[in-house]
Amino acid sequence: MSATHLGVISRYYDGCSTGDVALMGETLHPDVVHYFLAPNVGSAPVGGAEHLARYWRKVAGMIQATWVVDHILDGADEAVIEWTMSWMPAGADEPVATRGAEWFVFRDGLISEIRSYYQQRPETTELEGFPYAERGYSTAGRLASAIHRPVSSEEAR
């Protein structure tokens, strides 16, 4: 496993979670493209480092999202991860968890492509019967995994 890819991906998600455009920018290739699974809301691809970073700052602020990298498979110029996003649906009293997977492509050590696979619904979505806690994944009330502890805005810098 490449600690470099995990580090870049974790910092990218820390930037997404804190709305830190500069931090996200440090992890993104200028020509990055992020593809989303349709029919989720906002499933059109987002291109360009600055545009993508501002997109996530807006989204994270609107839904109070925090992302945790739960698992990674790493290759030379690609990595695949599973993640959990804790977020607040409109009118909800407490956060829900959305589980997803993403395929990352790297160029010059930076994220150049993201292919995102998840269904975002206003209730927790996850694999039925999967032993998340036993495998070190984040769980309700524990926004951290065995490989990634999200940081606050102050810690991210």
Side-chain angles (χ1 to χ4, degrees), residues 134-150:
E134 292 83 359
R135 297 220 186 153
Y137 286 57
S138 58
T139 58
R142 183 176 165 263
L143 286 179
S145 72
I147 63 171
H148 179 218
R149 181 185 62 85

Side-chain angles (χ1 to χ4, degrees), residues 1-154:
M1 174 171 74
S2 168
T4 303
H5 288 162
L6 177 58
V8 170
I9 293 169
S10 295
R11 286 183 57 78
Y12 166 71
Y13 280 117
D14 289 343
C16 292
S17 298
T18 61
D20 189 331
V21 170
L23 180 58
M24 284 181 270
E26 293 172 7
T27 68
L28 298 171
H29 190 277
D31 298 325
V32 66
V33 178
H34 193 310
Y35 297 95
F36 296 90
L37 186 66
N40 287 328
V41 173
S43 59
V46 177
E50 183 74 17
H51 186 204
L52 182 58
R54 291 184 184 282
Y55 171 87
W56 284 123
R57 178 178 63 188
K58 179 180 177 183
V59 169
M62 288 178 8
I63 64 173
Q64 301 172 42
T66 300
W67 285 266
V68 178
V69 179
D70 289 315
H71 188 74
I72 186 168
L73 296 175
D74 209 341
D77 292 322
E78 298 181 316
V80 179
I81 67 159
E82 291 177 290
W83 52 256
T84 302
M85 176 182 62
S86 173
W87 65 287
M88 290 291 286
D93 294 328
E94 57 187 53
V96 299
T98 297
R99 306 273 186 183
E102 289 185 333
W103 192 292
F104 287 82
V105 177
F106 290 83
R107 187 171 3 146
D108 303 325
L110 299 172
I111 299 166
S112 64
E113 182 178 282
I114 305 168
R115 299 190 306 267
S116 192
Y117 301 93
Y118 67 96
Q119 288 286 305
Q120 188 167 351
R121 301 204 171 132
E123 63 272 346
T124 292
T125 57
E126 60 187 14
L127 298 171
E128 185 70 35
F130 186 80
Y132 288 103
E134 292 83 359
R135 297 220 186 153
Y137 286 57
S138 58
T139 58
R142 183 176 165 263
L143 286 179
S145 72
I147 63 171
H148 179 218
R149 181 185 62 85
V151 299
S152 68
S153 298
E154 297 78 35

